[in-house]
Amino acid sequence: MTQSLPKLLTFDEFSEWYPNDGKRYELHRGVIVEMPPPSGEHEKVVGFIARKLTVEFDRLNLPYTIPKTTFVKTPSAESAYSPDVLLLNLDNLSNEQLFQKQSTVSQAASVPLVVEVVSTNWRDDYYNKLRDYVGRSPSRRVEMGIPEYWIVDYAALGARKFIGNPKQPTIFVCNLVDGEYQMTPCQGKTAIKSPTFPQLNLTAQQIFDAAN
């Protein structure tokens, strides 16, 4: 007996389906994924990063904001992600057709920087989101290309090929160069070198300590 494969959803179908049940969901290449509840440590790290970035873009008087909940719809796949920290460029939101009604953006010009704080579903951050935020389609054509993506693995949950053996808490600053991410690992007292905020005074250890 042949078992039929589950139907993959489009973003519009996902948006129409999304329930008001207090849970968080994302669309991963047409598949609905329920996001696990975050730990207290996770939320402290997210809050610390958001505060540091807010102070910096406020100091520079840049037209940015960090929303509570906004989806990033990746054009190269039927995916919709709700990042832990999403830096929005307010000046480009008038070009985003989905933002006013669905709080969704799909253009790189709207997203200077996105941050994912790694939790138990670490493969999503290291593989799926890394692939989709850069926006490469099977034809090798870049369709989105978020300029900067941080993978914040404060609890050292990722694979050893990424964070070493023994595993070490690591932050990867992924900078888009010629259509691909260059991943720069930061550990301990290594300063975070952010292309979006070149004067950012922040070390990896400061971020890790926020979890305590």
Side-chain angles (χ1 to χ4, degrees):
M1 182 175 179
T2 303
Q3 184 176 4
S4 61
L5 295 175
K7 178 181 179 294
L8 299 180
L9 271 65
T10 66
F11 172 77
D12 289 339
E13 290 171 332
F14 170 70
S15 183
E16 291 178 4
W17 165 87
Y18 203 99
N20 185 20
D21 60 3
K23 298 179 181 179
R24 293 173 58 242
Y25 301 91
E26 293 183 338
L27 187 66
H28 293 198
R29 300 217 159 193
V31 177
I32 295 172
V33 176
E34 180 181 345
M35 307 308 292
S39 67
E41 291 180 349
H42 179 281
E43 291 300 272
K44 286 194 289 184
V45 171
V46 169
F48 178 80
I49 294 171
R51 176 165 63 89
K52 288 295 184 179
L53 295 181
T54 299
V55 168
E56 189 66 5
F57 69 68
D58 188 57
R59 181 183 71 83
L60 297 171
N61 197 29
L62 294 172
Y64 296 160
T65 192
I66 296 177
K68 180 181 178 181
T69 305
T70 292
F71 282 114
V72 175
K73 180 181 179 295
T74 61
S76 62
E78 284 294 343
S79 298
Y81 299 125
S82 180
D84 289 312
V85 180
L86 173 62
L87 188 67
L88 280 185
N89 180 1
L90 298 172
D91 284 352
N92 195 64
L93 293 186
S94 60
N95 299 317
E96 294 282 2
Q97 297 181 352
L98 299 174
F99 185 74
Q100 290 300 326
K101 291 185 177 181
Q102 295 171 294
S103 187
T104 299
V105 295
S106 61
Q107 299 177 16
S110 300
V111 188
L113 170 64
V114 65
V115 179
E116 296 288 1
V117 177
V118 177
S119 55
T120 53
N121 56 339
W122 61 268
R123 291 173 180 83
D124 288 338
D125 302 324
Y126 277 99
Y127 291 104
N128 298 338
K129 294 180 181 181
L130 180 73
R131 173 195 61 207
D132 289 344
Y133 285 152
V134 80
R136 279 206 176 277
S137 65
S139 65
R140 305 297 290 174
R141 178 167 60 91
V142 176
E143 296 185 0
M144 188 173 188
I146 293 175
E148 186 175 351
Y149 169 37
W150 295 8
I151 303 172
V152 179
D153 197 349
Y154 74 94
L157 297 174
R160 290 179 176 84
K161 70 176 183 179
F162 292 114
I163 61 176
N165 187 15
K167 293 184 177 183
Q168 297 291 327
T170 306
I171 297 170
F172 288 94
V173 176
C174 307
N175 180 26
L176 189 66
V177 178
D178 295 331
E180 296 183 356
Y181 277 140
Q182 290 187 351
M183 299 175 66
T184 302
C186 302
Q187 297 177 336
K189 295 183 179 179
T190 303
I192 304 295
K193 301 294 185 183
S194 168
T196 305
F197 299 110
Q199 297 176 315
L200 183 66
N201 184 16
L202 184 63
T203 68
Q205 192 62 50
Q206 286 176 294
I207 293 176
F208 302 149
D209 288 345
N212 299 327

